[in-house]
Amino acid sequence: GAVVSQHPSWVICKSGTSVKIECRSLDFQATTMFWYRQFPKQSLMLMATSNEGSKATYEQGVEKDKFLINHASLTLSTLTVTSAHPEDSSFYICSALAGAGTDTQYFGPGTRLTVL
Amino acid sequence: AQSVTQLGSHVSVSEGALVLLRCNYSSSVPPYLFWYVQYPNQGLQLLLKYTSAATLVKGINGFEAEFKKSETSFHLTKPSAHMRDAAEYFCAVSEPGRRALTFGSGTRLQVQP
C-alpha cells in the first residue's frame, strides 16, 4: 500500500516552454502533498506544500508564478514549470501524506527535467 | 527552525561489517525523525521513523536507529552490511503538526566486497 506515482519519469524540453508533472497517490487519498527538488548529488529541498482544494504554500525563495501547483483532487497534484530555463533542470520529487493524522510521507519515484 | 546534519557525505564499509550513519538534529520542539534510502534515479523509501514512542526504532532491511535526546542524535545502524545496501541515505526531521520534512545532506554508502 501507500504507492505514489509520478508522470513523466523524465522529460526534455526547450527553453521557454512549460512542463507539467503529475503526482498521484494510487491506493490512498492524500489531503496533503509536497513537492521537492533535488540537484545532482544534493539533498531534497522543499518547494511547496499542496493541500487539496486550496492554494499551495510555497517555501521562501520559490517563485509561485514559475512553479504552478494544483491539487484538484485527493489523489492528484500537478507541478507546472512555466517558461522553463536550463537552471530549472533538476530532479523533482513529490510526496504524499497517507491521511490527516499521519506524519509519514510516501515519495514518488521522481521526474528528471532537462531544459535545453 | 529545524536542521539536520549528517556527518560524512561518503561512508565505505566491507560486506558483513557494521554500518553506522550519523545524524544530528536541531529542533525547537520535540521532533519526529526519519531515515530514508534512495537508490539511483529513484524516489525515497522510508527505512524507519521515530515519533516519540520507543527510542530504539527498528526498520526495514535490518536497519535500526536510536533517538538520543541528550545528544540530539538519531544515528542509523545495521550489524552486517550487504551489497544491496549501497545507496544514498537521508536523515530528516519534522515538527509534529507541520509535517514538511527538512532533510540532511545525505550520506552515500558504499559496500565493498
Side-chain angles (χ1 to χ4, degrees), chain B residues 40-61:
Chain B
N41 296 313
Q42 295 186 28
L44 276 69
Q45 180 181 4
L46 179 67
L47 280 177
L48 48 82
K49 64 178 180 179
Y50 166 78
T51 56
S52 76
T55 57
L56 181 61
V57 182
K58 294 187 183 297
I60 62 172
N61 301 339

Side-chain angles (χ1 to χ4, degrees), chain B residues 70-89:
Chain B
S70 61
E71 299 178 6
T72 61
S73 68
F74 191 57
H75 302 329
L76 181 71
T77 61
K78 181 174 180 177
S80 176
H82 291 272
M83 296 296 291
R84 62 177 177 267
D85 295 327
E88 186 89 18
Y89 291 81

Side-chain angles (χ1 to χ4, degrees), chain A residues 38 43 97 100 103-105 108, chain B residues 32 36 38 43 49 99 103-104:
Chain A
Q38 183 182 30
S43 189
L97 286 175
D103 287 276
T104 299
Q105 294 183 31
Chain B
Y32 289 172
Y36 284 88
Q38 184 182 33
K49 64 178 180 179
R99 302 176 180 174
F103 284 88

Side-chain angles (χ1 to χ4, degrees), chain A residues 4 29 55 59-60:
Chain A
V4 176
Q29 293 185 329
K55 292 183 178 180
E59 295 299 297
Q60 191 173 8

Side-chain angles (χ1 to χ4, degrees), chain B residues 2-14:
Chain B
Q2 49 193 353
S3 64
V4 178
T5 301
Q6 289 183 243
L7 291 177
S9 59
H10 288 84
V11 171
S12 182
V13 300
S14 298

Side-chain angles (χ1 to χ4, degrees), chain A residues 14-35:
Chain A
K14 293 182 178 180
S15 185
T17 61
S18 295
V19 174
K20 179 184 285 188
I21 302 170
E22 293 185 348
C23 175
R24 293 182 185 273
S25 56
L26 298 184
D27 50 2
F28 64 99
Q29 293 185 329
T31 54
T32 302
M33 290 183 170
F34 302 91
W35 286 95

